[in-house]
Amino acid sequence: MKAPPNTQSNIRASISDAEWQVMDAIWSTPSAAAAAEVIASLQARTDWSPRTIKTMLNRLVKKGVLHYQADGRRYLYRAAVTREKCVRVQGRSFLDRVFGGQAGAMLAHFAKHEKLSKKDIEELKSILEQKSSAAHE
Amino acid sequence: MKAPPNTQSNIRASISDAEWQVMDAIWSTPSAAAAAEVIASLQARTDWSPRTIKTMLNRLVKKGVLHYQADGRRYLYRAAVTREKCVRVQGRSFLDRVFGGQAGAMLAHFAKHEKLSKKDIEELKSILEQKSSAAHE
DNA sequence: CTTCATAGATTACATATGTAATCAATCGCG
DNA sequence: CGCGATTGATTACATATGTAATCTATGAAG
C-alpha cells in the first residue's frame, strides 16, 4: 500500500488541488508562459499572492510536471505532461478510491446526480453506442 | 479560496485517502463495528498496523464522520454520514477540480477511457433515457 | 553609478496526512 | 491478588500542502 519512492520517470508525483489550478493556467496558455502571466491569469480567479503562485511553480517543476526554459532573466514555463494524461491519472485514482474501480458504478452515479444538458446526453449516448458496437461479444 | 473554519454541522472535513478505506470498512459493516473488527477487515486489504487504524478511527471521530457508543471498555463505531453523501461530496469536488464542474465532459471522458460491460452500458443508457425524458425543454 | 523593481531561490510556518509508539486504565487468567 | 493483554488516549514524527516572506542577482530608470 505504500507508494514506491518517486522515480523521475514516474509522473506519479500527484498534483495537489492548488497546484492543479496552476497547471490549468499553464495548460490553457498556448506555448509557454512566464510566471507573470500565470500570476495574472490566476489572480483573476483566486486570491493567491504572487509569492504563493511562484511557490507552486517551483514545486511543480520539482515534481517534474512543469519544464521551463530561460528567456533573459525570467523563465518560460510549459507543461511537461498533457492535461489529458493528468486527467486520466487523477480520474483513475478517484475511481479506485471512491468507487473501488467500478467505472460503471461511477458513471451511473454521476449520470443520476449531475445536471446534464440535452447535448451532453446525446453525446454520451453516442459514445455508448460506439462502445457497445466495438465491445467484444 | 480559503476554506472556512470547520463548523461542526459542516460535513466538509474532507476524508483523506487512507481514512476513506476505514470508512469503507465501517460502511460495509451492518450496524456498528468494534475497532478490532475494523482492524481485522482492513488488515485483509492493507499492511497497516492496528495502531494506525486506531489513529484513523480517532481522527474520523474528531472530524465528525464517525460516532461511537461505549460497549463495556470498547467502542462500537458507526458512520455518522452515509456513503452516498460522502460519495456525492467527493465526487463534486473531483468534478470541480479536474473538469471545472462540467459533468458532461467528465462523463464523456470516463465513458471513453474506462472499460464498461454490456450491462454497464445498458444501465447507463437507461439512466440517460429517463434523464432526457424528464428534462425540461 | 545608485537605486528600485523584478525574477528566481531559499526559508518559514501552520495544518493535514500517513504511520506509528507510548501511556493509562482495566479485564481475564493463573 | 498480580500480571500481561487489550482498549482507548495522547504524543510523535516525517512528508505534503497552503500560504507566504526574505534573500540575492540584475536590469531599468534617473
Side-chain angles (χ1 to χ4, degrees), chain B residues 4 10 13 20 22 33 35 38-39 48-49 61-62 68 75 79 88 90 97 104 106 117 119 130:
Chain B
N10 194 343
W20 187 274
V22 176
V38 177
I39 289 170
W48 299 341
S49 116
V61 167
K62 282 216 187 96
Y68 63 81
Y75 287 171
R88 270 200 298 282
Q90 298 272 312
R97 239 166 79 78
M106 179 180 60
S117 71
K119 188 153 166 298
Q130 288 182 276

Side-chain angles (χ1 to χ4, degrees), chain A residues 91-92 95 103 106 131, chain B residues 109-116:
Chain A
R92 177 131 279 289
L95 176 57
M106 181 181 58
K131 202 88 172 179
Chain B
H109 170 82
F110 285 110
K112 271 181 209 152
H113 296 296
E114 297 294 335
K115 276 198 192 318
L116 296 176

Side-chain angles (χ1 to χ4, degrees), chain B residues 18-135:
Chain B
E19 288 166 353
W20 187 274
Q21 294 197 239
V22 176
M23 287 307 289
D24 240 357
I26 301 269
W27 282 320
S28 51
T29 304
S31 74
E37 301 175 69
V38 177
I39 289 170
S41 158
L42 281 170
Q43 285 194 316
R45 287 174 297 116
T46 72
D47 58 358
W48 299 341
S49 116
R51 321 281 201 166
T52 300
I53 298 171
K54 294 223 183 174
T55 299
M56 308 276 186
L57 288 172
N58 254 290
R59 288 183 182 167
L60 289 165
V61 167
K62 282 216 187 96
K63 287 185 178 184
V65 290
L66 263 192
H67 283 162
Y68 63 81
Q69 113 200 43
D71 169 46
R73 66 198 210 80
R74 61 186 197 162
Y75 287 171
L76 294 181
Y77 296 89
R78 66 179 60 255
V81 284
T82 66
R83 191 170 199 294
E84 288 61 43
K85 170 68 178 173
C86 287
V87 166
R88 270 200 298 282
V89 170
Q90 298 272 312
R92 178 131 278 289
S93 134
F94 170 73
L95 175 57
D96 287 342
R97 239 166 79 78
V98 178
F99 289 90
Q102 310 283 301
M106 179 180 60
L107 285 166
H109 170 82
F110 285 110
K112 271 181 209 152
H113 296 296
E114 297 294 335
K115 276 198 192 318
L116 296 176
S117 71
K118 288 259 177 212
K119 188 153 166 298
D120 288 334
I121 294 179
E122 287 320 311
E123 195 177 323
L124 252 174
K125 278 194 200 164
S126 132
I127 292 172
L128 292 177
E129 287 305 336
Q130 288 182 276
K131 204 85 171 176
S132 48
S133 61

